[in-house]
Amino acid sequence: MLAAIGCFANETNNVTRKVFDFKNKDGRLVGSYEDFFRGKDKIMMTTSSVNSQGKLVVRSRSYFLHGDMMTTELAVRKDDKLDTILVYHPGTDDMEVFRRSSDGSVSPASTELLQVFADYHSALMKIGPDAEKDSKTLAVLHELGQKIDAAMKSSD
């Protein structure tokens, strides 16, 4: 069972931050996410989880414009670095996926990897507020996550 704790913190540059921490049943921090707002508009969101060394590390960072998610960076490999970039076209299912190499260079992802990320994104956009209670939806997301893992391994 996870518990979520939220709080607001004000920044001096008119950016407001809302933090949610997730703890396990023993009260140990296992993850968090932060939403950043300029006025009422969400401009950025980060998600973090505990890595194998027990440190809380950023797993994703998403950027918003006028309420639409524009770009997401993900840490998919085991080295905790943001290595995958998703670029969205708001109002459509169109997106593009890029991979960052260990030397910092960026290149387009394979067509297979693009397709599995597009399928995952499409499934997420269709989820309603009760999705976490729906085992069928969770099973579909889990299966798509496994397809992403397989496509990542074949593209490395």
Side-chain angles (χ1 to χ4, degrees), residues 66-133:
H66 302 297
D68 293 320
M69 188 182 304
M70 303 301 287
T71 304
T72 299
E73 299 174 284
L74 299 169
V76 180
R77 293 187 184 108
K78 302 281 186 217
D79 62 3
D80 298 331
K81 293 182 180 169
L82 299 174
D83 57 22
T84 304
I85 304 162
L86 310 176
V87 180
Y88 309 100
H89 187 266
T92 73
D93 286 337
D94 292 344
M95 65 184 306
E96 190 54 75
V97 179
F98 300 91
R99 299 296 309 275
R100 183 176 290 123
S101 300
S102 57
D103 67 2
S105 63
V106 175
S107 59
S110 69
T111 303
E112 176 190 11
L113 188 58
L114 169 63
Q115 188 59 54
V116 294
F117 269 112
D119 293 347
Y120 192 85
H121 179 70
S122 178
L124 280 177
M125 294 299 104
K126 293 175 185 171
I127 291 176
D130 295 329
E132 62 215 28
K133 299 174 188 166

